[in-house]
Amino acid sequence: MQRHSQTKTPTRNWWKWGFIALVAVILVTFVTMGVKALSPANVPATAKTPTTETTNINVTLNKNQVNALADYYVNKSLKNEPLKYRFQVSDHAMLTGSTKVLGANVNFVLLFKPTVLSSGDVQLKAQKLSIGSLPVPVSFVMSYIAKNYPLPKWVAMNVKEQTMTLHLTAIGNGKKLSYAAKKIDMTGAGKFVFQARIPKN
């Protein structure tokens, strides 16, 4: 009787191949994520715009508070200086000090009308000069002030137009606290709205 030899077909280990496939998928996933993480980000054009460099806070002051603030900055600029002056607000904005007329020191009061400029700065237009009974023109006193008084760097005097501009936005030079005027109301106790600009750094 002839025997027929049976050839056994090797059985495949499906668990083994399934495990290998799973490991391969995990490796491919991690490699893909790593490549994307190390690639330069595709930032939209709008997102590349630098953020605002300051934090802005609106501050409302009355006349007494404005005068205290003015005294602080004027006294700071007058440190170790022989000439003294004051800038105050009442019914008008006033610059008081002394000037030499015919060799004598004479006190003066120069009255200004303030105007808020679109830049946030304040322009003061000379309206009246009180210097006793002497007939001295406003331009003469303003010229004397511009040449002899130690004005802060952010104050610009225009003798010809009889104006003085307070560049409040330039006080901190972009690195320190600065201001921008929003509203000036001289009636009553006064209402002065300023925007305090605080640098982030």
Side-chain angles (χ1 to χ4, degrees), residues 18-35:
F19 177 75
I20 292 173
L22 179 62
V23 171
V25 170
I26 292 174
L27 285 175
V28 170
T29 302
F30 273 103
V31 169
T32 304
M33 291 175 62
V35 170

Side-chain angles (χ1 to χ4, degrees), residues 87-137:
F87 179 81
Q88 299 285 283
V89 292
S90 57
D91 294 335
H92 292 78
M94 300 186 300
L95 182 68
T96 60
S98 63
T99 182
K100 281 194 174 184
V101 179
L102 302 176
N105 285 328
V106 179
N107 294 328
F108 67 84
V109 178
L110 190 56
L111 303 181
F112 294 93
K113 179 183 179 181
T115 302
V116 176
L117 302 179
S118 59
S119 62
D121 298 326
V122 176
Q123 186 179 77
L124 305 173
K125 175 70 175 177
Q127 286 192 311
K128 185 180 178 182
L129 172 65
S130 175
I131 193 168
S133 59
L134 296 173
V136 181

